[in-house]
Amino acid sequence: MTTLHEPTVTTTPDELSVWPASTTELRPGDLAVGGVPLAEVAERFGTPVYVLDEAEVRERCRTYRHVFPDAEVLYAAKAFLCRAMVHWVEEEGLGLDVCSAGELELAVTTGFPPEKIVLHGNAKSPRDLETALRLGVGRIVIDSPSEIARLAAAVGPDGHQKVMVRVVPGISAGGHDKIRTGTEDQKFGLSIRDGYAQHAIARILDQPQLELTGLHCHLGSQITSVKPYLAAVRRVVGLMARLHEQHGLVLPELDLGGGHGIAYRPGEEALDLTALARKVRTELTEACGAAGIPVPRLVVEPGRAIAGPAGIALYHVLAVKRTGDHIFVAVDGGMSDNPRPALYGVRYAPRLIGRASAEPMAPVTVVGRHCEAGDVLAADVELPADVRPGDLLAVPVAGAYHLSMASGYNLVGRPPVAAVRAGHARLLVRRESLDDIRSRDVGL
Ligand SMILES: *Cc1c(COP(=O)(O)O)cnc(C)c1O
């Protein structure tokens, strides 16, 4: 437990622009988030540790409700999920988007209303579908033709399930090739261009126990421009108009997915949500008007933009090594708790915290402790030249796709998550211990 400290030093807002709004500098070099000094969080829970600013998560949920007042906002659970997160999202009035029986079961057993959950997945396992039907999930997004018969059979002739169809609008958008999902040549969705989407829709309409509520598309992730979303609206509404003509079908929902880009480093661009909401609304109204179909209810599915900027990763420096051209600063975490730099070359802006340094900044590469040369957390960043073992480093914008993608590599155990709010820190997820790892290892 900590008391709320008054900030005594003001930093230039630019430097902290990617940090949670609650961030203050108590003394030079000593940052607090949610009223709790980060050095204190590291001391209490050990490192590496993930810190989540509850107020920042809630505020981001509220922003979505505010800028998309008529839309359904679903938080994409894969960005980061734990039981507290489930509560916050529910209390703020959002629905949930899940991709597995695991995410779904965690949410529902925490009290999340199943009818406000949408299940995705390009390859849903029998267990995913069984769990979805057993728990009464709101909608299931069909992503392949073979799923239709499987789902219809599982629902049974007397059952009823709402479904959407994920279509491929044929639009390239997103921060990296590996996170572009709106183009033709990738594994998600059914192509409009090749007619697979239309074919699947006709088959769904033949299944009386499946109720098609709308079309879904997700263009990719870390998109910072509104334009691809407007193009997607035109494509999908074009398909809705043809379905209306051919089948007299009126679909009440259009799900535009997520992918809203955020700034990872000061000066980077984020997607302007107000502009997105306004322009999508206009485009949707105009396109539907021109096609002579009713305007469907919009659904959006932000993940990263809700959780990402609310999280901070804290590490201790274990070693500093000077080689030919580089200074390597090695920390006590790495690619097992944040695989993103290795996967997509993402750049971060780590900061020395807990002490002030009078030294000038020097270019360094922050690396992890894992047995791979590619285990780099932040290449070519600036840290004080006297950075040394025992120092604390904080990596902002660490709330999304870090812990949810964490691995068991080198058996170091996944870090804990602590929430901070109004001067108090509390543990949400404990550190994975050697006992946890040993208890799964049941053979000899
Ligand atoms: C990953 C995903 C999202 C969320 O993406 P973000 O980039 O985190 O906003 C939303 N919908 C679907 C279908 C997804 O796969």
Side-chain angles (χ1 to χ4, degrees):
M1 297 265 274
T2 316
T3 48
L4 195 61
H5 299 258
E6 282 301 311
T8 50
V9 183
T10 48
T11 29
T12 55
D14 197 37
E15 258 179 82
L16 294 178
S17 63
V18 299
W19 285 70
S22 71
T23 307
T24 54
E25 190 163 16
L26 304 168
R27 284 172 298 280
D30 203 1
L31 292 187
V33 174
V36 185
L38 291 178
E40 219 171 277
V41 178
E43 170 81 36
R44 180 168 156 202
F45 301 106
T47 57
V49 58
Y50 281 96
V51 184
L52 202 55
D53 182 341
E54 179 178 342
E56 184 76 22
V57 171
R58 288 183 182 272
E59 190 51 39
R60 285 174 175 273
C61 293
R62 283 175 206 167
T63 298
Y64 271 97
R65 294 289 310 277
H66 180 72
V67 303
F68 288 100
D70 321 313
E72 187 174 352
V73 183
L74 308 175
Y75 169 63
K78 71 174 191 276
F80 173 72
L81 199 68
C82 66
R83 292 186 307 137
M85 196 77 187
V86 169
H87 271 301
W88 303 342
V89 165
E90 210 239 317
E91 282 174 6
E92 298 305 333
L94 272 56
L96 206 60
D97 148 354
V98 300
C99 325
S100 70
E103 290 173 359
L104 176 57
E105 192 108 34
L106 186 84
V108 174
T109 54
T110 307
F112 203 89
E115 65 278 7
K116 290 181 72 180
I117 304 180
V118 172
L119 174 69
H120 285 283
N122 72 299
K124 297 177 196 75
S125 70
R127 191 174 143 243
D128 293 334
L129 288 182
E130 182 275 314
T131 308
L133 298 180
R134 175 169 49 83
L135 298 179
V137 77
R139 279 150 292 173
I140 297 176
V141 181
I142 304 246
D143 199 302
S144 69
S146 59
E147 218 181 321
I148 300 166
R150 266 175 73 204
L151 182 59
V155 171
D158 301 325
H160 177 255
Q161 178 63 50
K162 289 184 178 170
V163 298
M164 289 194 273
V165 170
R166 177 160 177 174
V167 302
V168 178
I171 292 162
S172 180
H176 188 280
D177 268 348
K178 291 180 189 167
I179 54 174
R180 288 189 188 121
T181 58
T183 52
E184 295 290 340
D185 224 5
Q186 46 78 40
K187 70 173 185 169
F188 293 102
L190 293 154
S191 166
I192 299 178
R193 193 187 67 190
D194 299 343
Y196 290 110
Q198 294 86 322
H199 190 70
I201 289 163
R203 282 179 60 191
I204 292 168
L205 296 176
D206 279 343
Q207 304 286 342
Q209 63 269 55
L210 302 184
E211 176 190 345
L212 182 64
T213 67
L215 302 183
H216 174 282
C217 70
H218 172 70
L219 301 177
S221 208
Q222 192 54 3
I223 299 168
T224 50
S225 155
V226 171
K227 275 192 185 148
Y229 290 100
L230 304 182
V233 167
R234 288 192 292 273
R235 296 273 168 88
V236 178
V237 169
L239 176 56
M240 286 178 138
R242 289 199 294 283
L243 294 169
H244 183 242
E245 261 171 47
Q246 287 164 9
H247 304 277
L249 187 64
V250 174
L251 293 173
E253 294 179 322
L254 193 168
D255 188 332
L256 265 190
H260 310 159
I262 58 175
Y264 278 88
R265 293 181 299 168
E268 282 178 2
E269 222 186 325
L271 182 63
D272 178 346
L273 295 181
T274 310
L276 176 73
R278 183 168 42 84
K279 292 181 179 173
V280 161
R281 164 72 27 217
T282 307
E283 191 74 39
L284 188 58
T285 311
E286 285 178 8
C288 291
I293 57 172
V295 179
R297 183 168 195 218
L298 187 68
V299 184
V300 290
E301 306 175 332
R304 184 193 310 276
I306 285 178
I312 293 136
L314 297 180
Y315 302 100
H316 268 112
V317 175
L318 295 179
V320 177
K321 191 183 285 178
R322 287 172 172 77
T323 63
D325 293 337
H326 278 98
I327 303 174
F328 288 104
V329 176
V331 298
D332 54 0
M335 67 192 298
S336 69
D337 66 86
N338 179 9
R340 300 185 67 252
L343 273 174
Y344 338 113
V346 185
R347 309 285 307 274
Y348 289 90
R351 225 182 125 106
L352 174 69
I353 56 159
R355 73 172 174 91
S357 170
E359 291 286 310
M361 299 298 254
V364 306
T365 292
V366 178
V367 297
R369 55 166 295 173
H370 294 283
C371 305
E372 297 245 344
D375 178 23
V376 172
L377 279 177
D380 301 322
V381 294
E382 301 257 302
L383 285 177
D386 64 348
V387 61
R388 54 186 180 245
D391 276 341
L392 267 179
L393 292 190
V395 177
V397 204
Y401 304 109
H402 279 226
L403 213 46
S404 68
M405 297 178 99
S407 74
Y409 191 34
N410 292 143
L411 302 190
V412 298
R414 285 169 289 181
V417 182
V420 289
R421 191 187 73 178
H424 298 287
R426 67 188 198 277
L427 192 63
L428 297 183
V429 181
R430 70 164 170 76
R431 186 180 304 283
E432 190 174 31
S433 67
L434 185 54
D435 276 347
D436 292 327
I437 296 166
R438 224 175 352 229
S439 68
R440 295 180 57 224
D441 185 335
V442 295
L444 204 61

